[in-house]
Amino acid sequence: MTTPSLKSRIRSRDECFGLFCSIPSAVALEQVAAAGYDFVIIDLEHTLISPEQVETMILAARTAQLAVLVRVPPQTPHLVVQLLDAGAAGIVFARIDDAQQARQAVELCHYAPLGQRGLNATRASRYGIDGLTEATRRAATETLVVVMVESRQGLDNIESIAATEGVDVVLEGAADLSQFLGLTWQTRHPQVQSAVERVCVATQSAGKAFCAIPRELDDTQRWREKRVSLFVIGDDRGVMRRAHLAHLSAHKE
């Protein structure tokens, strides 16, 4: 039986939980998969993960049947086709500020007519063994385009960003957004919370999926009440840090 793609699960409003992955380790990804997460976002914006390491991570995730997305830094269009050809299920674009940038993100991820992604025999078609026409058709239905709104400009343009054809998910960026609002790291400040909720409302009004980043356990239920079913619940380094501290503390007591 074929496993449903992450994109189809999101469209069906299945509850999906993901994790940012900043540790360049296939074993770490295998453990994330074993724990039962639905997807990971390999982070190339805030790490020094090399191309060789990210390809190994993508392979490990695919082997474990864990959907893998990759977050790319702003102004790095050359990475997109390479990551998709390597087997990523989609791309997370950091700091999208307007509809033009959102359209460019879509064009980078999709083949014609929606986009301008270059054709090649890739991992998705077993390097040409499978039909290339079918592989491109499947890519059109399964490739995820995720944009992050993390600035005041992005907030001002959220309605047009969310409405951009081909954008599937808008992922909140409360941390960086707090900086642009003059409230650095105050992600629970009412102004920051209000801004994130505006992003959620605009995204859902455009018929797209909003992805929340709960920072406290109560946040998850609060977002559920707003019909949100897609969550990124931390970073692997933070999960490891807390686990080590709790483990050591338990033995010291």
Side-chain angles (χ1 to χ4, degrees):
M1 184 176 178
T2 305
T3 303
S5 69
L6 179 61
K7 186 168 181 172
S8 68
R9 293 188 64 198
I10 291 171
R11 286 184 168 175
S12 297
R13 296 185 53 78
D14 291 354
E15 196 163 79
C16 297
F17 291 92
L19 194 69
F20 279 115
C21 284
S22 304
I23 301 171
S25 164
V27 173
L29 269 173
E30 286 178 322
Q31 292 189 354
V32 171
Y37 286 87
D38 300 292
F39 67 97
V40 292
I41 302 174
I42 298 173
D43 188 7
L44 300 188
E45 183 185 16
H46 294 287
T47 68
L48 291 172
I49 297 175
S50 70
E52 295 78 12
Q53 288 171 322
V54 75
E55 183 163 37
T56 300
M57 294 170 76
I58 290 172
L59 285 169
R62 285 168 59 94
T63 300
Q65 295 188 316
L66 177 68
V68 57
L69 309 175
V70 185
R71 175 163 70 174
V72 296
Q75 310 304 319
T76 54
H78 64 284
L79 292 177
V80 174
V81 69
Q82 296 170 3
L83 292 165
L84 292 173
D85 284 355
I91 303 295
V92 178
F93 292 87
R95 199 168 296 179
I96 293 297
D97 291 329
D98 55 41
Q100 181 178 352
Q101 291 178 1
R103 282 193 296 273
Q104 182 186 34
V106 172
E107 290 174 356
L108 289 169
C109 289
H110 280 287
Y111 298 112
L114 188 58
Q116 300 177 5
R117 177 181 169 186
L119 292 165
N120 206 326
T122 69
R123 185 166 283 135
S125 64
R126 294 194 302 160
Y127 306 100
I129 293 175
D130 298 337
L132 296 178
T133 300
E134 171 59 21
T136 54
R137 185 204 64 78
R138 189 166 60 248
T141 60
E142 295 183 358
T143 302
L144 269 166
V145 180
V146 182
V147 299
M148 295 191 71
V149 173
E150 306 177 86
S151 69
R152 186 183 292 276
Q153 184 180 355
L155 183 63
D156 290 342
N157 293 317
I158 181 54
E159 287 78 12
S160 58
I161 291 171
T164 301
E165 182 184 5
V167 168
D168 300 298
V169 177
V170 178
L171 172 60
E172 60 137 302
D176 278 336
L177 189 54
S178 71
Q179 287 197 98
F180 284 91
L181 297 176
L183 299 161
T184 301
W185 276 123
Q186 297 179 58
T187 56
R188 303 191 71 79
H189 190 283
Q191 284 183 241
V192 179
Q193 291 290 301
S194 176
V196 173
E197 289 190 12
R198 177 182 168 186
V199 173
C200 176
V201 169
T203 301
Q204 292 179 335
S205 296
K208 309 298 177 62
F210 173 78
C211 185
I213 304 179
R215 290 168 172 82
E216 301 289 344
L217 288 176
D218 290 347
D219 291 344
T220 303
Q221 184 55 38
R222 178 172 61 85
W223 284 119
R224 283 183 176 129
E225 292 168 0
K226 297 179 183 294
R227 300 181 295 110
V228 173
S229 56
L230 186 60
F231 305 96
V232 174
I233 53 174
D235 176 278
D236 55 0
R237 296 171 301 182
V239 172
M240 180 182 287
R241 171 179 55 81
R242 288 189 293 273
H244 280 311
L245 289 171
H247 182 68
L248 180 59
S249 178
H251 284 275
K252 283 186 172 182
E253 288 178 353

